[in-house]
Amino acid sequence: MSKRPVSLKTLAQVLNVSISTVSRALRNHPDISPELTQRAQQLARELHYSPNPLAIGLLKNATRIIGVIVPALVTHFFASIISGIESVAIERGYYIVIRCSYESFEKEQECLANLLQLRVEGIIMCLSQETSTYAHFDPLLAADIPLVFFDRVCRPAEVPTVVVDNQAAACGITRHFAAQGRRRIAHIAGPPALNISQERVLGYREGLAAAGLLFDAQLLELSDLSADSATAATQRLLALPQPPDAIFGVNDTTAFAAMKEIKRQGRRIPADVALVGFTDEYHATVVEPMLTSVMHPTFEMGRTAALLFLEQATGPVPPRQVVLATQLVVRESSL
Amino acid sequence: MSKRPVSLKTLAQVLNVSISTVSRALRNHPDISPELTQRAQQLARELHYSPNPLAIGLLKNATRIIGVIVPALVTHFFASIISGIESVAIERGYYIVIRCSYESFEKEQECLANLLQLRVEGIIMCLSQETSTYAHFDPLLAADIPLVFFDRVCRPAEVPTVVVDNQAAACGITRHFAAQGRRRIAHIAGPPALNISQERVLGYREGLAAAGLLFDAQLLELSDLSADSATAATQRLLALPQPPDAIFGVNDTTAFAAMKEIKRQGRRIPADVALVGFTDEYHATVVEPMLTSVMHPTFEMGRTAALLFLEQATGPVPPRQVVLATQLVVRESSL
DNA sequence: TTTTTCTTCGCAAACCTTTGCGCAAAGGTT
DNA sequence: AACCTTTGCGCAAAGGTTTGCGAAGAAAAA
């Protein structure tokens, strides 16, 4: 298509020496005379020579590309994590190729296969919401291709992961509610297959116990992390004979949807129902009332995931499980 | 690092034929006997052979990678556009590599050079806020590397672009305000170098004229698209002897910041000051009052940009300028 | 039988880079 | 004068794929 860029061959012809000599000259090989080295580097600059990564990749069997698979792109959470991954990738001379699974197990498999075809050097990903079997990662592990999970993880014994302290955070939220005098604390949970859902439910129950409250199955609702399902869950909760006086959403999308529904029904936040989200999207501060939420170190999470990849890429080391601390940011919605 | 995957060579050795024969067999070349073709394809499946894109890329001088440069990743707007680009890229067998300029002209140049080193087949990008000279695109044009701009554009005579009807939309907002009886309509504009800022200011003035209102320079404030600068601009506007009764923000970030400041000063929206944003981020519906805004077809914008790239990639055609329609979504903040 | 025509495959070059090895000329040592 | 070392460079292979051309063998035509 576009004309071929200048190669070592071009330089060699101009300098009237062999290709291998030019190659050495550019890399300051001691075998090459200072004058020729000088001339070659000078010419390379003038002609804007840059080594062809495909040729090097072919030779070294390394593309310097990291594949990244996210369930969704259009969220503060994932965009910020990608941003973190990108930042360390750049520092270390890697490129990242993004693929989106759209929360679909099937698409997740497609993305995986697709990125492997590209010969990525590793994959950093977050499981889709539908993913509940994990055999599709076998080929990666068998081929020694570094794999890193973040947030939603599996097979932690084999694959390095970076997650947040979900259970502790969820416990903290529940205890925060209890400390405000709330007694009927509800939780809108996520898909049961996901570790994040499980851990947050665990933390929720731990918090209840710590506050001396009994677990009430009616107050534990399920959602698929979407606004619609969260709205439905909220409606069911509010329709209870004894509706909750506090709701803890599994993420901020859930909490925003709950907030809308609560307000739509003319109930006051936090007077009638206190509300807390999870993830701390940027807009938590712009809604009214401002949403109490669990701040995730998203950028840091991305950076850590990338560093875990680098760790695996340099030498095969045992998989590390990094747990990042979150912080409960208390705002108007839960006071 | 990781072991080399199976290549044509591997297959050739097993089948006891030459590499070129296997290559032809897999591509159903008529020169190869049906039985051998059959056997080769069978074996390729069993061994999970997939052609090495580096080798093909080297041969064809094509990486099937599109470089994408955005000023920021962590926004609904850009994430959604990237999503659109990705969707058509996948359909056409391309990969996308994302780079972020962080609104910096210097970083924009770095990203550009970096992606060119990777030998991307084209670049789809949005100008950084600081970018006001455009010579750094010369090498691309000279090398016939397809380039596409979206939203913030330049050199439209040479480079295909996809934008929204900024002036018409801005005019529409202003007239909407006027129709509600507003008389002192302010605009918080963006960096003057950007086409989007210029066009929206033009539309603003066009709308004023159409409504029979005089332009008042005091009511035209500048921002750098950040929340902080928008807050400052809002403070200046509200401190005016005759403060505005309507504010039109150059984007939703600006509008959100303005909303916070207006509320902080104890003024009512829309009673005292009506407010309209631009871009319709998802959270426009969750703030209180819900924000009137201009809905952008962001996903469509990404898709269009990718299609424009494909257009350039197949054959050099004159650059097209695509203008997408927006829609003013009227909500509580301006009624 | 000899020549022509298919059929079916292999050789080699090209894309670009790196690197082990070899080789020539120049200088130095005995 | 004969030998050894250094200096400075080229050859060739390797990595995986595609493709024009040549070639061997078989079948068909003369």
Side-chain angles (χ1 to χ4, degrees):
Chain A
M1 202 85 305
S2 53
K3 27 189 172 300
R4 291 200 173 262
V6 357
S7 67
L8 286 183
K9 192 178 186 177
T10 322
L11 303 183
Q13 283 166 349
V14 176
L15 293 169
N16 211 17
V17 295
S18 78
I19 292 178
S20 45
T21 301
V22 180
S23 172
R24 291 190 170 90
L26 295 186
R27 323 179 89 237
N28 289 309
H29 193 287
D31 268 9
I32 307 299
S33 70
E35 318 94 83
L36 183 55
T37 299
Q38 169 73 27
R39 281 202 300 142
Q41 298 189 350
Q42 167 80 20
L43 186 68
R45 268 192 304 275
E46 284 172 5
L47 268 47
H48 299 105
Y49 167 79
S50 85
N52 189 323
L54 281 77
I56 299 182
L58 194 55
L59 197 65
K60 301 258 176 78
N61 192 26
T63 52
R64 298 209 76 77
I65 295 180
I66 306 173
V68 176
I69 305 178
V70 289
L73 248 172
V74 192
T75 68
H76 175 91
F77 182 66
F78 290 117
S80 176
I81 286 178
I82 289 174
S83 201
I85 296 175
E86 197 231 24
S87 75
V88 347
I90 299 313
E91 290 169 12
R92 311 298 275 272
Y94 280 91
Y95 295 88
I96 62 173
V97 169
I98 314 275
R99 291 293 261 104
C100 185
S101 69
Y102 294 97
E103 296 283 12
S104 147
F105 177 59
E106 191 184 332
K107 278 200 187 301
E108 177 175 298
Q109 291 176 297
E110 281 177 26
C111 294
L112 217 51
N114 189 237
L115 289 174
L116 287 183
Q117 276 185 24
L118 182 61
R119 307 302 207 255
V120 294
E121 287 192 35
I123 288 189
I124 300 177
M125 66 180 292
C126 175
L127 261 33
S128 98
Q129 189 184 121
E130 291 177 9
T131 304
S132 57
T133 70
Y134 313 112
H136 53 309
F137 299 117
D138 287 342
L140 290 218
L141 299 178
D144 275 330
I145 296 173
L147 177 62
V148 176
F149 291 125
F150 63 84
D151 198 46
R152 309 181 192 162
V153 307
C154 67
R155 304 178 72 160
E158 303 151 283
V159 182
T161 62
V162 45
V163 295
V164 295
D165 54 350
N166 286 296
Q167 182 168 349
C171 176
I173 289 174
T174 314
R175 298 185 65 168
H176 165 68
F177 277 143
Q180 306 287 319
R182 309 289 168 170
R183 285 295 169 263
R184 289 190 58 73
I185 303 171
H187 176 38
I188 302 179
L194 298 181
N195 63 300
I196 54 171
S197 309
Q198 298 163 5
E199 291 165 12
R200 288 171 200 177
V201 169
L202 280 178
Y204 164 64
R205 300 190 64 156
E206 182 188 341
L208 288 179
L213 295 174
L214 287 179
F215 170 72
D216 180 348
Q218 283 190 319
L219 294 180
L220 180 58
E221 277 287 348
L222 278 185
S223 82
D224 62 4
L225 305 181
S226 75
D228 284 349
S229 73
T231 301
T234 307
Q235 286 169 346
R236 288 192 297 272
L237 286 172
L238 296 181
L240 249 34
Q242 295 188 9
D245 57 5
I247 298 181
F248 152 33
V250 68
N251 64 8
D252 275 5
T253 304
T254 307
F256 284 141
M259 178 180 286
K260 267 193 182 179
E261 180 59 23
I262 295 169
K263 292 204 287 193
R264 198 188 61 79
Q265 295 196 11
R267 311 196 188 217
R268 293 160 303 162
I269 304 173
D272 299 326
V273 187
L275 189 63
V276 169
F278 211 104
T279 304
D280 204 48
E281 299 269 339
Y282 166 76
H283 293 87
T285 63
V286 79
V287 297
E288 184 156 324
M290 293 196 286
L291 184 68
T292 295
S293 189
V294 174
M295 203 176 76
H296 276 52
T298 45
F299 191 81
E300 188 60 25
M301 206 163 173
R303 285 191 64 89
T304 306
L307 292 174
L308 283 176
F309 158 78
L310 290 172
E311 213 172 272
Q312 296 288 317
T314 47
V317 291
R320 280 204 297 145
Q321 316 304 320
V322 178
V323 179
L324 264 32
T326 56
Q327 197 187 344
L328 182 62
V329 181
V330 178
R331 301 199 185 85
E332 302 163 350
S333 73
S334 69
L335 285 180
Chain B
M1 201 83 302
S2 54
K3 28 188 170 299
R4 290 200 175 261
V6 358
S7 67
L8 286 183
K9 193 177 187 177
T10 322
L11 303 183
Q13 283 167 349
V14 176
L15 293 170
N16 212 19
V17 295
S18 78
I19 292 178
S20 46
T21 300
V22 180
S23 171
R24 291 189 170 92
L26 295 185
R27 324 178 90 237
N28 289 309
H29 193 288
D31 268 10
I32 307 299
S33 71
E35 317 94 84
L36 183 55
T37 300
Q38 169 73 27
R39 281 201 301 144
Q41 298 189 350
Q42 168 79 21
L43 186 69
R45 268 193 303 274
E46 285 172 4
L47 268 48
H48 299 105
Y49 167 79
S50 84
N52 189 322
L54 282 79
I56 299 183
L58 194 55
L59 196 65
K60 301 258 177 77
N61 193 26
T63 51
R64 297 210 75 79
I65 296 179
I66 307 173
V68 177
I69 306 177
V70 289
L73 247 172
V74 192
T75 68
H76 175 92
F77 182 67
F78 289 117
S80 177
I81 286 178
I82 289 174
S83 200
I85 295 176
E86 197 231 23
S87 74
V88 346
I90 298 313
E91 291 168 13
R92 310 299 276 270
Y94 279 91
Y95 297 88
I96 62 172
V97 169
I98 314 276
R99 291 293 260 104
C100 186
S101 69
Y102 295 97
E103 298 283 12
S104 147
F105 176 60
E106 190 184 332
K107 278 202 187 299
E108 177 174 299
Q109 291 176 297
E110 281 177 26
C111 293
L112 217 51
N114 190 237
L115 289 174
L116 286 183
Q117 276 185 23
L118 182 60
R119 308 301 207 253
V120 295
E121 288 193 34
I123 289 189
I124 300 178
M125 66 179 292
C126 175
L127 262 33
S128 98
Q129 190 183 122
E130 292 177 10
T131 304
S132 58
T133 68
Y134 313 111
H136 52 312
F137 298 117
D138 287 342
L140 292 217
L141 300 177
D144 274 331
I145 296 173
L147 177 61
V148 176
F149 291 124
F150 63 85
D151 199 46
R152 309 181 192 161
V153 306
C154 67
R155 303 178 75 158
E158 304 151 281
V159 182
T161 62
V162 45
V163 295
V164 294
D165 54 350
N166 286 297
Q167 183 168 349
C171 177
I173 289 174
T174 313
R175 298 185 64 170
H176 164 69
F177 276 143
Q180 306 287 320
R182 309 287 170 171
R183 287 293 169 266
R184 289 191 57 73
I185 304 171
H187 176 39
I188 302 179
L194 298 181
N195 62 301
I196 54 170
S197 309
Q198 297 162 4
E199 291 164 12
R200 289 172 199 176
V201 169
L202 280 179
Y204 164 65
R205 301 190 63 155
E206 182 188 341
L208 288 179
L213 297 173
L214 285 180
F215 170 73
D216 180 349
Q218 283 190 319
L219 294 180
L220 180 59
E221 275 289 348
L222 278 184
S223 83
D224 61 5
L225 305 180
S226 76
D228 284 349
S229 72
T231 301
T234 307
Q235 287 169 344
R236 289 191 296 272
L237 286 172
L238 296 181
L240 249 34
Q242 295 187 8
D245 56 6
I247 298 181
F248 153 33
V250 67
N251 65 8
D252 276 6
T253 304
T254 308
F256 285 141
M259 180 180 284
K260 268 194 181 175
E261 180 59 23
I262 294 169
K263 292 203 289 193
R264 197 188 63 78
Q265 295 197 11
R267 312 197 188 213
R268 293 159 304 160
I269 304 174
D272 298 327
V273 186
L275 189 63
V276 169
F278 212 104
T279 304
D280 204 47
E281 299 268 340
Y282 166 77
H283 294 87
T285 63
V286 78
V287 296
E288 184 156 326
M290 293 195 287
L291 184 68
T292 295
S293 188
V294 174
M295 203 176 75
H296 275 53
T298 44
F299 191 81
E300 188 60 26
M301 206 164 173
R303 286 191 63 89
T304 307
L307 292 174
L308 283 175
F309 158 77
L310 290 172
E311 213 172 271
Q312 297 287 318
T314 48
V317 291
R320 281 203 296 144
Q321 316 304 320
V322 179
V323 179
L324 264 32
T326 56
Q327 197 186 344
L328 181 62
V329 181
V330 178
R331 302 199 186 85
E332 303 163 350
S333 73
S334 68
L335 285 180

